Amino acid sequence: MSSTTKLLNINLLFVLTIISGLFVMVYYLFQVGGLSQDIYLVEDYTIKLATLLENNKSLDINFSKMSSLSNIEDYLASRDFIKPSQVKYIQILEGSVVTK
């Protein structure tokens, strides 16, 4: 091999090494950017999840308060329902549910 061919091969190898190195660095930068974006999104979703869980607890407490028996009695009183004075039960024979 001549010295010119050796020099050309070395220069080609040097250029390919530089291009490969630049490609790896750019790829690394994109990967780090994507990773940092994913970490930010996970932290943001964690905060939102904690907020939603706290809101859910307060809504459960409010629902329990709203559906208590005292509120139901107030609702029935506001709708002009009256308490029955006498309760009559219908007795059904044990052996039959439907008769002809």
Side-chain angles (χ1 to χ4, degrees):
M1 243 188 204
S2 69
S3 66
T4 310
T5 308
K6 276 185 175 180
L7 187 60
L8 184 60
N9 285 340
I10 291 174
N11 285 340
L12 181 63
L13 182 64
F14 180 71
V15 168
L16 287 176
T17 304
I18 296 289
I19 290 173
S20 298
L22 289 174
F23 175 75
V24 168
M25 286 182 359
V26 168
Y27 181 75
Y28 173 77
L29 288 176
F30 279 112
Q31 290 298 318
V32 168
L35 181 63
S36 63
Q37 181 181 9
D38 291 344
I39 290 171
Y40 171 76
L41 289 175
V42 166
E43 289 177 1
D44 188 43
Y45 290 146
T46 304
I47 292 170
K48 286 181 181 178
L49 179 64
T51 304
L52 288 174
L53 287 174
E54 189 66 32
N55 288 343
N56 190 25
K57 285 180 185 177
S58 66
L59 287 174
D60 281 341
I61 292 169
N62 288 339
F63 178 74
S64 297
K65 288 179 182 177
M66 294 301 292
S67 63
S68 68
L69 285 178
S70 63
N71 288 337
I72 292 173
E73 288 175 357
D74 292 341
Y75 172 77
L76 293 176
S78 71
R79 297 289 181 191
D80 295 329
F81 284 96
I82 56 171
K83 275 189 163 182
S85 59
Q86 185 179 1
V87 177
K88 294 182 181 179
Y89 293 101
I90 301 172
Q91 291 188 355
I92 299 175
L93 298 175
E94 287 185 33
S96 63
V97 175
V98 178
T99 60
K100 289 185 181 183

